[in-house]
Amino acid sequence: MTTAAQRQLTACALRGSAYAMENLEPKVQPKLSPMMQQYWDVKAAHEDKIILFRMGDFFEMFHRDAETAAPVLGIALTARNKNSADVTPMCGVPHHSIANSINKLLSAGYKVAICDQIEDPKFAKGLVKRAITRILSPGVVFDPDTLDALNPNYIASTDSKHVSFLDTTTGEAFYFQVKDEARRNRLLASLQAVEIITTSQDKERVEAGLKAVGLQALLTVHEDLGPAFGDWPESARRVLGYATYMQGEKILETLAPFERRELLDRMELPSTVVRHLELFETYKGETNGTLFQAVNRCKTSAGARLFKSWLQFPLSQPEAIERRLDHVERWTKPQELSSGSLKEVRQALGQLGDIQRRLGKLGNPSCNPRDLIALADSLEAGLEVCRLANCEEWNADLVEKARKVLNEIRSTLVDEPPVQLKNGGLIRKGVNAQLDELIDLSTNSHELIMQLEAREKELTGITSLKVRFNNVFGYYIEITNTHKDKVPTDRYDRKQTLANAERYLTKELAELETKVLSAQSKRLELEIAMFTALVASCLKETRSLLGIANSWAEIDVVTALACLAIEQNYVRPQLSLAGNLNLRASRHPVIEQALSLPFVANDVHLAKGGTLLLTGPNMAGKSTLMRQIAVSAILAQTGSFVPAKEAELPVFDRLFTRIGASDFLSEGLSTFMVEMKETAEMLQMATENSLVILDEVGRGTSTYDGMSLAQAILEFLVENKKSMTLFATHYHELTELSTAYPQVVNGHMRIHEEMTSSGPEIRFLHQLAKGPANKSYGIHVGKLAGLPSSVTKRA
Ligand SMILES: Nc1ncnc2c1ncn2[C@@H]1O[C@H](COP(=O)(O)OP(=O)(O)OP(=O)(O)O)[C@@H](O)[C@H]1O
Ligand SMILES: [Mg+2]
């Protein structure tokens, strides 16, 4: 089970609707306060969601919502009106830290609705107006920055022929054409969709399908289809319809067009293989110790996500593989003069940030000025990557657009704008003359008043004339009674008489006052309008920018693979169209990086259709050897160099692994029946172009049955399927198969045995040698593991 899946285990599928049922307003209610009435009105329209209800500086949750959320968020559950009939369980989070809380609720499988104050409480007459401002679900998150940067966040849907995926945080959108329903469900599981959209009619079937593949995603019913573009399948339009319903039409601009991806030209990696080979997660559910962790050298999150998808779907067309390998190889060599060195490109990539998610934010209501600055920084770094990688020419159009957006942001916003819009101060001087005047007015009001005062003094000849301000009259001119006769009554309008002075207003002063007082609010209004226009203008180019961002991600992956090859001494694999496998000095990429001792490299040679039958004592390195071959094949078909001195590899169509009970205890607990079911499926699907790994099959049953089964399976593979097979076993009897089948080659892992004063000792050499092992050294291993000598002697 993957951690993502485990995380989602806490969330039950369909939580939404089940949640709604039990979450209705109590039938008998004491008289509600106006605010609680307001709350229940909102809740009634959003029964299936947890309502975050803004009160002052907090977002509060009430009743069932509070009881549900408090443990998920790890906060205290309290109560309002504790000692009355109207006792209300509640809990709350400060408004500024809401993003993390929302994410916790979403990843626990809940939907969330934000009910915010939509007027300034200072000016509210009576109860503050509140309304739902955003609805969020696992697939439509509040702030993408709080998500795990290495994993996409897919909303998905299936129809009778397709399975479609959409990541609203990066704009990635694609579909596969898959007729087989089980395969569609396997894809949902292997891409770890977080939310599945379906119709009420299909709900039950989809739910059963998800259960079958063990995917615990939130199931959401949404009937409306999004707009039709080209030949997008129904499932694509359904996720689009849902995304627009949740996030508004704007989101359409931040999404790439749905891309049709092919599975025909991909190697199929069943989820069991992904698990057995610990590609993305170890058996303990960790990322440390996985293949991905060991070989990922990407500088950007977008690159890492792309690399992950490359590993999930290795190529199976030789030309496509060679093309990727060519790109990687180019970077392992000194560069031509016109382009940058690998080091320079890597440096520029390091500045790129998560441009896809930064673009995704443009369509998000919470997009703020700093987000645009971050986007500009990304674009600048990306353009530098283009220059260094010499891709300015083949991407000329896109480069031009990126430059345009970059300039627009840089020339409009100040270098370090505030996060919040509400106080202004984000637009550069000189961009808009009207704004500059408003800024002048609001910041220089004192000076303008002083100027007016000086002018009036001169015109009237009254040196003691003063312009003053109070809350009742605003600005006024005050003249002491001594100078009363000099007042120009045609222009001066008397407003108030005091004991020793009179207060006046002039038309000019009234105009200046309106200007000054409204300048601040006008300035804010204008700044917000200009910011919104800037976002809109960037949004218009989002699709192009997503295109170029993908090229940058690709350059990241390719240069990362080049770095890996140089750093770890990997070699470019040669693809064997004849289907032969020849590895010289092959290593396991993960174990060799983890070991403090040197890893023992091995040579492996197998002709097309060949079987390597591995025997040897426990701990000798059989499983490691088989896994390193499988992992090398995956790496090669991903376009990576492989850990060996020389590598010739067939292009495999599928990979199968069957790991016996011993190696994985968690799996050992599953029944023998499951093992046999999976084996049966494998025997059915394997072809002569497949690689099959069987590690101690049959262990889960009695020796005799186990051995007969293992033999039958092996014979079937050799005779009928002709797949390339790696087979590790403790049943020495099986080594005789090599006499009946010339394609079966015996091999064993060498050990060194010597007599010591305390009896024979063995040392593992981890070296592959020809022929079967002649003894089982299990007893010695038992001794090494510390079994009492009375036990080992008896054995
Ligand atoms: N080529 C190697 N170089 C160095 N160390 C190795 C090598 N191969 C294996 N090892 C070490 O030996 C340990 C045992 O290897 P592995 O699990 O492959 O043995 P095994 O033969 O499959 O044993 P079992 O029969 O118990 O399943 C590994 O965890 C690793 O630390
Ligand atoms: Mg083993």
Side-chain angles (χ1 to χ4, degrees), residues 444-459:
N444 303 335
S445 59
H446 182 71
E447 200 154 299
L448 292 168
I449 297 289
M450 289 298 104
Q451 281 168 8
L452 183 137
E453 190 184 87
R455 255 194 326 273
E456 287 301 327
K457 275 183 186 168
E458 210 181 304
L459 286 172

Side-chain angles (χ1 to χ4, degrees), residues 43 80 89 92 100 103 117 130 162 165 187 191 273 308 354 423 528 551 572 613 641 662 687 689 717 758 791:
K43 183 75 196 172
R80 262 167 89 85
N100 270 324
N103 258 7
Q117 295 170 169
R130 294 183 172 87
H162 309 90
F165 294 85
L187 281 167
L191 290 175
V273 175
K308 190 171 176 189
D354 196 342
N423 297 320
I528 291 173
S551 311
R572 176 173 177 153
L613 191 65
F641 285 23
S662 73
T687 74
N689 296 318
L717 279 167
S758 55
V791 176

Side-chain angles (χ1 to χ4, degrees), residues 4-21:
Q6 266 163 350
R7 237 181 291 123
Q8 286 166 351
L9 253 184
T10 45
C12 65
L14 267 181
R15 185 163 261 166
S17 55
Y19 192 69
M21 301 277 293

Side-chain angles (χ1 to χ4, degrees), residues 99 174 203 216 330 332 408 429 467 481 505 557 564 569:
F174 57 95
K203 197 171 95 180
Q216 305 269 343
R330 176 196 149 197
T332 61
E408 207 174 337
K429 230 178 165 159
V467 176
N481 289 345
L505 198 62
V557 180
L564 173 76
N569 279 316

Side-chain angles (χ1 to χ4, degrees), residues 595 598-600 602 617-624 663 696 730 766:
L595 280 184
F599 188 89
V600 181
N602 275 302
N618 298 95
M619 292 295 289
K622 302 182 296 297
S623 303
T624 306
D663 276 46
E696 319 213 357
H730 281 292
H766 305 301

Side-chain angles (χ1 to χ4, degrees), residues 3-19 48 50 61 65 67-74 99-112 136-139 141 146-147 153 194-195 216-219:
T3 27
Q6 266 163 350
R7 237 181 291 123
Q8 286 166 351
L9 253 184
T10 45
C12 65
L14 267 181
R15 185 163 261 166
S17 55
Y19 192 69
D48 59 336
I50 291 180
M61 287 152 274
D65 287 357
E67 288 161 4
T68 310
V72 176
L73 299 177
N100 270 324
S101 304
I102 291 180
N103 258 7
K104 282 186 195 160
L105 292 172
L106 298 183
S107 48
Y110 295 100
K111 288 189 176 181
V112 172
L136 306 156
S137 71
V141 298
T146 52
L147 288 177
N153 201 60
V194 293
E195 188 170 3
Q216 305 269 343
L218 181 76
L219 193 57

Side-chain angles (χ1 to χ4, degrees), residues 106 131 133 149 169 199 294 378 383 446 477 483 539 585 664 679 690 773 784:
L106 298 183
T133 51
T169 66
T199 58
S378 284
L383 287 167
H446 182 71
I477 298 171
H483 300 288
L539 260 175
F664 294 108
T679 311
S690 307
L784 285 180

